[in-house]
Every structure is written in C-alpha cells, then in structure tokens.
Amino acid sequence: ARLISRIPFITGSLDLKPMTSAIPAVSVKYTELLEAFEFVSVGAPSEHRAYVSVDTGKIYRVSSTIDPEDEVPDDLETSDRYIAVPHRIDLDVGRNLALSFAAQELPDDYDTVADFFRHKGAYGRFKHLLESRGALKKWYTFEEDATGKALLKWCQESGIQLSHDQPAANLS
C-alpha cells in the first residue's frame, strides 16, 4: 500500500462527530492510522471498518468479508470508547478531489473527467486519461496531499493525537 508522505492542504468538509473535550487526546501512530484508513477505504462504505480505542490508541479492524486478525471487543461498534476511522468518502477525497485536480491541471479535459464520474469504472478511465496526459504521478502527489491533510483534520476534530513515526515536517 502507498503511504501518504505530505499533508499540505484540505479539500471538502467533514461531517463526522468530534469527541468531547472531556476525554483526553489519545495518541496513534500516523502510519497505523493511515493503514487503517486505507483498509476502510479499499471497499464500499461499511464493508471494512476500523476503530481507534480512546483508552489505548489500539486500532481494531473488522470486515464483512475478512476475519479479524485480533480479538475485537464485544462493544466495539456500540461503545463511545472507540472512534470509527472514516472512509475516504467521509473525508470528501474521492470524486470531488478528482474533479478539482482536473479543473486545476487538465482544464481542457474537465468535462470528460466529469462524465467519467457519472458511470461505473470512473477511476480506471480517469487514471488512464492521466497516464495518457503524463499527469499520473502529479495526481498521486495531489491525492496524497489532500488525503493526508483531511485525515489530519479529522484527527484533530476527533481528539486523536498523531505520533510522529513520519518525519515531523510532514505532519504539520
């Protein structure tokens, strides 16, 4: 899996319930949270889920299609002691991000890209177009930046403190 290395800007808005300030921030390693986020986002919403324990920072993964690697608490999905890791759709770093990139980097292809996202298989067609325009690497950088920044904002709003297992400059 590709790891996010930069976090320079935010796209979209978040509609996730933040933790109350009465609960102290829990510390989670950036790479572990990113892996959980990617696990959640690889499938359809609710197909794969991950939760952060507000007591320990441990991340639990559950899936409707894969058996869990570790024992999961019985109250994992019902207790307020666990925070659900968002899906990329929750952070608005899917279709709208691709359209933002197209508007910024491929303005002549914007309508084509917008049409891609009206049908199934949009990302495949979008990436094929990017490759044909020599913009695929630039897209990956753009996507990593936006996703990382949105995930960082979600952490701040959820009372999660990221530990710096990435270079500190990349988490600010």
Side-chain angles (χ1 to χ4, degrees):
R2 189 178 78 234
L3 292 180
I4 293 175
S5 59
R6 286 175 235 96
I7 308 178
F9 72 91
I10 287 194
T11 181
S13 62
L14 300 177
D15 189 22
L16 300 171
K17 184 179 116 188
M19 286 179 44
T20 63
S21 59
I23 300 173
V26 64
S27 182
V28 175
K29 287 184 178 178
Y30 175 75
T31 54
E32 289 178 9
L33 183 62
L34 181 60
E35 288 171 5
F37 174 76
E38 290 174 347
F39 173 77
V40 168
S41 297
V42 75
S46 300
E47 181 178 352
H48 306 296
R49 295 166 313 286
Y51 298 87
V52 177
S53 167
V54 299
D55 299 315
T56 66
K58 181 173 173 65
I59 298 175
Y60 297 93
R61 298 174 191 203
V62 294
S63 173
S64 61
T65 59
I66 303 169
D67 290 330
E69 295 174 7
D70 299 321
E71 285 286 319
V72 296
D74 292 334
D75 64 346
L76 184 66
E77 296 181 327
T78 58
S79 173
D80 65 354
R81 306 308 303 164
Y82 305 96
I83 303 169
V85 175
H87 189 281
R88 73 172 34 275
I89 291 171
D90 299 324
L91 299 183
D92 200 23
V93 291
R95 173 186 177 271
N96 289 340
L97 185 64
L99 292 173
S100 294
F101 180 81
Q104 190 175 324
E105 300 295 330
L106 304 168
D108 293 340
D109 292 313
Y110 181 85
D111 290 337
T112 300
V113 172
D115 189 53
F116 289 164
F117 285 93
R118 291 185 184 97
H119 309 285
K120 280 191 149 205
Y123 278 100
R125 289 189 300 276
F126 176 59
K127 288 181 181 178
H128 180 71
L129 175 70
L130 293 175
E131 192 170 19
S132 72
R133 301 291 192 265
L136 191 58
K137 186 174 180 179
K138 199 170 192 175
W139 159 250
Y140 285 136
T141 300
F142 185 86
E143 180 184 39
E144 287 174 358
D145 291 347
T147 300
K149 188 66 173 186
L151 190 56
L152 178 62
K153 182 179 179 193
W154 173 82
C155 286
Q156 292 168 340
E157 292 179 355
S158 299
I160 297 174
Q161 180 176 351
L162 293 177
S163 64
H164 299 293
D165 59 338
Q166 288 285 93
N170 291 340
L171 293 175
S172 56

